[in-house]
Amino acid sequence: MNQTIERRPLFGPASFYKEVLAVALPVMAQQAIQSLVSLIDNFMVAGLGDAKMAGVNVANQVNFVYMVVMMTLSAAGGIYMSQYRGAKDEEGMRQAYRFKAIMTLGVSALYFAVCQVMPASLVTMMTVGNAAQAEIVAHGASYLRLVSWTFLPMALSQSIGSAFREIGRPNAPLVISVAATAINTFFNWALIYGHLGAPALEIRGAAIATIIARVVELTTFIAYARSVKAPFFVPLSGLLRARWPLFREILGKSSLMLLSETSWVVSETVTTALYNGRGGAEVVAGMSAGWAIANIFFLVFTGIHVSTGVVVGGLLGADKLDEAKVKARWIMSGSVIGGTVVALLQVASIAAVPLVFMNLTPQATKVTAGLLFVIAAYLPLWSLLNAQFAVSRAGGDTMMGVAVDVGVTYALFIPGAFALALLTPIGPVAMYGIVKLTDIVKWYVARRWLRKERWLRNLAAPTDGAAGTAAADAAG
């Protein structure tokens, strides 16, 4: 069977890629807009000086861990959402949504409590060895405690928005994100520097602007889902009417995804702390500015994941396994081309760094430009890696992520980062570029794993137990 697949062309016809892009482009546009919020925050806060910008960005580095956990839980429900959509099973879609909403709200409530009680401790962990630690921690803790009020509305918005994308309707989340971004930008401008008679709240103003935007975003999502009678949507009062055996099944998948993703995010967080210790506020500010720009180009990864879930997951749910196998191959091949195009655009963006971050010191600007160049070099490889992960997860094979992320991360990536930090004097950008060579090993392991075709499964096929539970729900 594998030999037959190998003889088929690497790339699909143009009509196939048009179908993929019809899903991916609105999702990528939404991701770009969300990343622009971070970039706008960085741009406006940069005018307050390196230390305040560093405080906000270190707080956001801490929040990154929470965001990955929340999005991973949502993505676990999304595996089933896409397959139930392919099977035209609306009750299954509602059950997948219940999982997404319950889990993301639960994690958000827990993290909100932590940020209210110990924000300074969280920021301190990320700035060990930094020459300006005390000042960065003071600003970062103040921002983190206030911005944590966005977590609960953001959780529900994530659940609803991602569900619309997974059923092949990505335009509504795009429009709502545009509106939320415009609101955030306006209130940033008004509240950070005190325009239109508003008080000049500096970094607190940035946090308040984010809160306002997130509340409006959630309100709009709920109103829209109700108005169009979204097939997956369940009001808050009905969230706990879950089919618990299915809930536990999705939770089992999500636990492996969480192990994989938290392994990756913990490694990134630890190494970020190592980078931050290679200087003062200029290193933190420069690296943070670089990531703010790079995140705009990482939109290609979200497009790959969502389009793979819709196309491949939908085919698997419809029990078209052979077609899913061929189109998964086409997506992986196309991802390299997409990653290369995005990498070239990111290289071109380096010229804009002094204009966008004109208030950064020359040292911080140099760090930003160097980081963007290194990231661009890896984008084609990372695009392929994301396509490999997306294919495996479309069929519920979450074990591949554990083998690839956990194995390579703890065997090579983290030891390499510590070795460079402790044994060499090289700067943060060079450290990052060297340790990321371990991603070549990830690609090889994932390639071997996918050939086993453990992902080629229809998760929406009813079992006797599931059918009985569904019948009982209907009778109730």
Side-chain angles (χ1 to χ4, degrees), residues 64-278:
F64 176 64
V65 179
Y66 151 73
M67 289 291 295
V68 168
V69 171
M70 184 182 69
M71 294 177 72
T72 300
L73 290 168
S74 181
I79 293 171
Y80 287 77
M81 181 74 72
S82 294
Q83 291 221 9
Y84 280 125
R85 176 242 184 190
K88 297 178 171 52
D89 182 347
E90 291 193 3
E91 175 57 26
M93 293 164 66
R94 286 190 286 271
Q95 293 297 332
Y97 172 75
R98 283 187 173 99
F99 176 86
K100 291 157 73 81
I102 291 171
M103 293 304 297
T104 56
L105 285 170
V107 167
S108 298
L110 179 61
Y111 184 54
F112 168 77
V114 171
C115 289
Q116 289 297 307
V117 173
M118 48 184 293
S121 298
L122 296 175
V123 178
T124 299
M125 288 190 299
M126 295 297 296
T127 53
V128 174
N130 191 281
Q133 184 185 48
E135 191 175 4
I136 292 173
V137 169
H139 296 309
S142 172
Y143 176 82
L144 184 57
R145 179 178 280 118
L146 189 53
V147 83
S148 65
W149 288 95
T150 65
F151 296 159
L152 288 171
M154 187 162 51
L156 208 50
S157 292
Q158 166 68 22
S159 298
I160 298 172
S162 61
F164 271 115
R165 294 192 294 268
E166 288 148 4
I167 65 172
R169 293 161 64 178
N171 291 326
L174 171 61
V175 173
I176 293 171
S177 290
V178 169
T181 301
I183 291 169
N184 196 8
T185 302
F186 171 77
F187 282 103
N188 266 336
W189 174 77
L191 296 176
I192 292 176
Y193 295 104
H195 294 294
L196 299 179
L201 300 176
E202 298 192 341
I203 60 175
R204 287 177 59 83
I208 293 171
T210 304
I211 293 170
I212 295 170
R214 291 299 185 188
V215 170
V216 172
E217 180 183 51
L218 174 59
T219 303
T220 309
F221 263 127
I222 292 175
Y224 179 75
R226 285 179 175 276
S227 68
V228 299
K229 294 181 171 58
F232 62 82
F233 184 70
V234 176
L236 286 174
S237 59
L239 278 185
L240 295 180
R241 298 174 192 164
R243 191 187 302 165
W244 296 108
L246 177 62
F247 190 98
R248 288 190 293 270
E249 180 183 332
I250 303 175
L251 187 60
K253 299 290 184 187
S254 70
S255 64
L256 292 176
M257 291 174 65
L258 275 175
L259 179 59
S260 169
E261 294 298 328
T262 54
S263 168
W264 170 72
V265 76
V266 166
S267 70
E268 293 292 327
T269 304
V270 168
T271 51
T272 296
L274 294 177
Y275 308 146
N276 289 346
R278 293 308 236 199

Side-chain angles (χ1 to χ4, degrees), residues 414-428:
I414 291 181
F418 272 100
L420 290 173
L422 297 175
L423 302 177
T424 74
I426 63 176

